[in-house]
């Protein structure tokens, strides 16, 4: 059957066209003034449309739109908000002022998911929400960033819990013509498309654009009639299917994403991979450089390495994406042949041990090897990642493994409640979220009157309770519960009671069951008549994670007991909307993963900025954020080889802290209307989160530490038809060929006896053999630091040594003398050694594997 298609659009009165324009920009998702306009039009319709303004405009009766176009009060509010919107888009921002010479650069940010707003469900959880917050903060800062991802027909699953507590999944088809996405057209007003060969068949991708403030986000879609059924399903479900589906999705994201940018006329100087899913973009970049720019494979590789940024989010080896080489060859064999390298050489990119033919192809390993800039998402995760991947850089101390730490942050305007936002504007200034370079502004939180802060927070807690009851009623209605059970929901929870929130992906390492370890003890805590406590839980398990589903089922078994029924609830189908109500309304945010398996965790940051106190294991970001002035801890940062022992000890710590610290502090009023000491900690929590854990701070760190050096490397290496890349590659080949002969012959120091004093300077002379390598091609360093019990250097700082003047001619034996100086900075055993590393104006500070020679 053939069908002609027409797109029917709502007839929006001219006077309301600004509202339609703002509905098409995700700017509305972090500006409640816009949301308030839609709520004024029809609050029930707003909720029925799942807070999707495009759908709401299409469903509103024409008479409602006509009436709004004649409502003077509504139009005045619309004009005011529209002026704010136009001002946001037109004014210069942080990046423009700090780096005016880089405004023509572009940063391509690749991610498999983006959590931007409830009405655009192309995300599953923390990784996607982090990507969404990154785009929003990039817009606020004026970064020249472009997002690239996939448009999923069904997105992530909707969660349904059966009467016995088992998670079931339902997939709802997204209607893109009623969402804030636009199909990208070419000059002939036809859909702009790119093609990727998969298993000998062409897969066509159309491109959709999402506008996020200033930032364009391009999402690839294979669900078009020209594709086979197998090809159309590639962008059907996020994180669905088997490894075969995953590799096809990741090839479309990586290779298709680069081709989409090229078709759009965009040529980024920086490629940022958010997790290893998008690493295949490297292969397409190499192919373009070789076949269109005339570079050799090694010249192209050096250029791609120097202009790539990689962020890893996974602190356990099993969580990193791996593919069987047979599967990789099936889909990428032809592509690899175009690069002119052997299949065996290609596989070494994704293997820690290149000689191990049994090792699978790891996307994280490939991304680490092919990126000059790598980072974990917290300072603790930096160290965990260095431990996991240090074998990629043999001979390099773990402290210098080129994986740094840039701690995640959250987009404040997206997560601060509008009531709290109004309070902050009154005391911190109207532009407190737009001054990322002035963290001291958060010191003004101390000036907010305690009673005002407490009343705002109490109001949000009350809203959370009413929202939770309403959502719970709907859950029971869907399960065909009795009218008595549904009516009983009105007695569940109490707006005046200490409320704990626990919401996240239900994976076993996150230990959602920990607080239920001793049900009788928990019952006494919750049902204390003078100091009651209540808990709201939410979260999904991955569809294939049966152990995670079992955790949910066990928890729901507790919730069905009469002793817990009024004090604990579980909200189905956790999403951005539920998350906002929770982080804005709870008193305590509970998090108890097994350390160090939480890479960062951002939900606690969102709760903290709203005044909630975190109660967590010292893992991820909380290892940095915790102090007695900001929240509470579970344990003292221990790591246990026996998980059962760790669970027992940390459950005991959890109960003790609840009983002895948290509950008494919350209910201690001392004849006041509010708990003074609790509010003091709320202020500490807000100040800490605002100063140190915003997405603006995170994005500025990426810009200063990664993006700017990468932009400059791109300019230097691509100038004069990539002469820089060619010269650098030739230099590297020459240095690598002779590197095995580089040798530090000896180190001489004066006789100082058995002990020296703090502050004393120790001169060090070295004789270095540089056969075939010039002194200007290397940097000789003295390395000194404290010696561990295993005779390993720790806390060391390399100091560059100077070449002693030896005339213009090299010594006949190619042995050069270098001089350095060590300053004794701490007591204890001091170890001194030296090393040689390559030096080149085009080479970043990130060390290349196998190019380091120690004494």
């Amino acid at each position: 059957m053939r069908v002609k298609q027409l797109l029917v659009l709502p007839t929006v009165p001219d006077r309301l066209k600004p509202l339609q324009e703002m509905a098409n920009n995700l700017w509305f998702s972090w500006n409640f003034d816009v949301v308030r306009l839609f709520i004024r039009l029809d609050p029930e319709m707003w909720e029925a449309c799942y807070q999707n303004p495009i759908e709401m405009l299409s469903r509103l009766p024409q008479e409602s739109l006509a009436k709004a176009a004649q409502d003077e009060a509504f139009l005045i509010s619309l004009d005011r908000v529209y002026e704010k919107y136009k001002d946001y888009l037109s004014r210069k921002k942080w990046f423009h002022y700090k780096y005016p010479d880089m405004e023509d650069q572009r940063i391509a940010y690749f991610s498999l998911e983006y959590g931007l707003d409830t009405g655009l469900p192309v995300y599953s959880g923390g990784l996607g929400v982090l990507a969404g917050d990154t785009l929003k903060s990039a817009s606020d800062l004026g970064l020249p960033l472009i997002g690239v991802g996939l448009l999923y027909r069904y997105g992530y699953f909707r969660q349904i819990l059966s009467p016995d507590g088992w998670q079931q999944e339902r997939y709802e088809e997204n209607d893109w013509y009623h969402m804030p996405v636009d199909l990208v057209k070419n000059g002939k007003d036809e859909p702009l498309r790119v093609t990727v060969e998969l298993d000998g068949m062409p897969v066509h991708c159309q491109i959709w654009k999402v506008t996020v403030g200033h930032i364009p986000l391009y999402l690839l879609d294979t669900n078009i009639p020209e594709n086979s059924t197998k090809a159309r399903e590639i962008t059907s479900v996020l994180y669905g299917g088997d490894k075969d589906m995953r590799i096809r999705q990741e090839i479309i994201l990586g290779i298709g994403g680069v081709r989409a940018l090229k078709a759009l006329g965009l040529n980024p100087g920086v490629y940022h991979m958010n997790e290893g899913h998008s690493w295949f973009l490297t292969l397409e970049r190499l192919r373009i450089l070789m076949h269109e720019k005339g570079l050799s494979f090694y010249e192209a590789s050096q250029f791609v390495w120097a202009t790539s940024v990689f962020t890893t989010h996974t602190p356990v080896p099993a969580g990193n994406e791996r593919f069987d080489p047979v599967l990789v060859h099936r889909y990428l064999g032809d592509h690899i042949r175009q690069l002119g390298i052997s299949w065996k050489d290609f596989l070494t990119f994704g293997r820690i041990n290149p000689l191990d033919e049994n090792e699978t192809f790891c996307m994280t390993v490939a991304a680490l090897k092919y990126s000059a800039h790598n980072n974990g998402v917290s300072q603790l995760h930096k160290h965990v990642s260095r431990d996991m991947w240090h074998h990629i850089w043999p001979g390099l101390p773990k402290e210098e493994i080129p994986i740094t730490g840039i701690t995640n942050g959250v987009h404040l305007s997206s997560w601060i409640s509008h009531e709290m936002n109004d309070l902050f504007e009154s005391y911190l200034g109207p532009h407190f979220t737009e001054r990322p370079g002035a963290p001291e502004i958060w010191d003004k939180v101390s000036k907010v009157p305690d009673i005002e802060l407490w009343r705002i927070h109490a109001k949000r807690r009350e809203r959370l309770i009413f929202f939770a009851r309403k959502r719970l009623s709907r859950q029971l209605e869907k399960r065909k519960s009795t009218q008595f059970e549904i009516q009983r929901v009105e007695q569940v929870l109490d707006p005046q009671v200490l409320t704990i929130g626990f919401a996240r992906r239900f994976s076993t390492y996150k230990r959602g069951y920990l607080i239920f370890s001793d049900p009788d003890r928990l019952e006494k805590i919750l049902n204390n008549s003078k100091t009651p406590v209540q808990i709201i839980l939410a979260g999904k398990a991955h569809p294939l994670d049966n152990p995670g589903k079992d955790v949910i089922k066990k928890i729901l078994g507790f919730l069905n007991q009469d002793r817990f029924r009024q004090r604990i609830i579980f909200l189905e189908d956790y999403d951005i909307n539920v998350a906002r109500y929770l982080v804005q309304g709870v008193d305590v945010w509970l998090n108890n993963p097994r350390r160090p398996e939480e890479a960062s965790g951002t939900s606690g940051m969102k709760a903290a900025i709203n005044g909630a106190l975190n109660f967590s294991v010292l893992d991820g970001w909380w290892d940095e954020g915790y102090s007695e002035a900001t929240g509470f801890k579970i344990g003292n940062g221990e790591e246990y080889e026996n998980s059962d022992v760790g669970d027992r000890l940390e459950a005991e710590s959890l109960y003790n802290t609840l009983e002895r610290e948290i509950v008494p502090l919350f209910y201690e009023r001392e004849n006041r209307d509010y708990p003074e000491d609790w509010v003091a900690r709320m202020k500490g929590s807000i100040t800490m989160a605002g100063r140190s854990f915003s997405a603006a701070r995170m994005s500025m760190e990426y810009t200063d530490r990664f993006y700017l050096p990468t932009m400059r490397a791109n300019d230097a290496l691509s100038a004069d038809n990539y002469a820089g890349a060619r010269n650098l590659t030739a230099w590297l080949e020459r240095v690598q060929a002779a590197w095995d002969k580089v040798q530090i012959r000896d180190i001489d120091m004066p006789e100082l006896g058995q002990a020296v004093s703090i502050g004393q300077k120790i001169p060090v002379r070295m004789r270095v053999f540089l056969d075939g390598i010039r002194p200007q091609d290397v940097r000789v360093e003295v390395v000194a630091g404290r010696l561990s019990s295993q005779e390993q250097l720790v806390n060391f700082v390399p100091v560059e040594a100077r070449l002693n003047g030896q005339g213009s001619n090299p010594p006949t034996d190619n042995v050069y003398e270098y001089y350095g100086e060590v300053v004794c900075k701490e007591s204890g055993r001091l170890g001194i050694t030296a090393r040689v590393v390559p030096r080149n104006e085009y080479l970043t500070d990130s060390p290349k594997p196998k190019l380091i020679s120690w004494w």
Side-chain angles (χ1 to χ4, degrees), residues 372-636:
H373 302 284
N374 303 294
N375 74 286
V377 288
S378 69
Q379 299 309 304
L380 178 59
H381 184 227
K382 169 185 71 178
H383 296 294
V384 172
S385 297
R386 287 174 174 177
D387 284 340
M388 285 172 58
W389 307 115
H390 72 274
H391 291 299
I392 296 174
W393 293 270
L396 200 62
K398 288 183 182 179
E399 291 83 355
E400 292 191 313
I401 296 297
I403 304 174
T404 188
I406 296 181
T407 304
N408 283 343
V410 297
H411 186 247
L412 303 183
S413 297
S414 292
W415 296 102
I416 297 174
S417 71
H418 57 90
E419 295 96 340
M420 196 69 79
N421 184 81
D422 292 343
L423 181 68
F424 290 166
E425 283 195 356
S426 297
Y427 291 94
L428 277 62
H431 303 297
F432 71 95
T433 60
E434 298 168 13
R435 295 184 59 196
E440 67 275 2
I441 200 168
W442 292 96
D443 293 338
K444 297 180 182 178
V445 170
S446 62
K447 300 184 184 301
V448 177
D450 288 0
I451 191 64
E452 285 193 54
L453 178 60
W454 180 251
R455 284 174 180 168
I456 291 292
H457 178 67
K459 184 177 181 180
R460 288 307 311 187
R461 188 195 311 114
E462 187 174 342
R463 287 200 175 188
L464 167 61
I465 301 308
F466 292 155
F467 167 81
R469 288 173 179 170
K470 185 177 180 180
R471 196 168 179 99
L472 190 57
S473 295
R474 289 178 182 171
Q475 289 176 205
L476 294 174
E477 288 170 3
K478 289 177 183 177
R479 291 185 209 158
K480 309 296 183 185
S481 299
T482 66
Q483 197 60 34
F484 172 75
E485 289 176 310
I486 296 171
Q487 289 175 346
R488 196 165 55 178
V489 169
E490 291 304 314
Q491 280 122 42
V492 168
L493 306 180
D494 183 333
Q496 307 303 318
V497 167
L498 170 61
T499 304
I500 298 173
F502 181 94
R504 51 197 27 89
R505 179 168 58 90
F506 272 84
S507 182
T508 51
Y509 83 86
K510 292 179 182 285
R511 299 189 297 183
Y513 53 82
L514 196 65
I515 197 168
F516 298 96
S517 300
D518 187 340
D520 294 335
R521 190 172 179 183
L522 179 61
E523 178 191 5
K524 292 178 182 178
I525 295 171
L526 300 184
N527 293 321
N528 186 302
S529 59
K530 294 182 179 179
T531 58
V533 178
Q534 57 198 14
I535 305 172
I536 303 177
L537 303 105
K540 300 175 179 179
H542 186 279
L544 301 179
D545 183 5
N546 286 333
K549 290 182 180 181
D550 196 50
V551 172
I552 295 176
K553 182 178 180 181
K554 288 178 180 176
I555 289 173
L556 290 176
F558 286 111
L559 272 53
N560 288 329
Q561 298 177 22
D562 287 338
R563 58 178 173 167
F564 295 128
R565 197 182 299 274
Q566 290 187 319
R567 291 290 183 223
I568 313 177
I569 66 167
F570 191 105
L571 298 180
E572 273 183 12
D573 205 27
Y574 184 46
D575 63 5
I576 286 177
N577 187 41
V578 175
R580 282 198 179 114
Y581 274 97
L582 283 168
V583 299
Q584 293 170 3
V586 298
D587 301 296
V588 173
W589 192 258
L590 176 63
N591 186 31
N592 40 238
R594 288 195 185 97
R595 177 182 162 117
E597 296 184 34
E598 183 93 293
S600 177
T602 55
S603 59
M605 303 173 190
K606 298 160 192 168
I609 198 66
N610 282 285
L613 302 186
N614 276 268
F615 178 30
S616 176
V617 170
L618 295 176
D619 197 9
W621 81 282
W622 193 235
D623 193 53
E624 302 165 47
Y626 166 75
S627 74
E628 290 186 1
T630 59
F632 307 93
K633 63 179 178 177
I634 299 170
N636 293 298

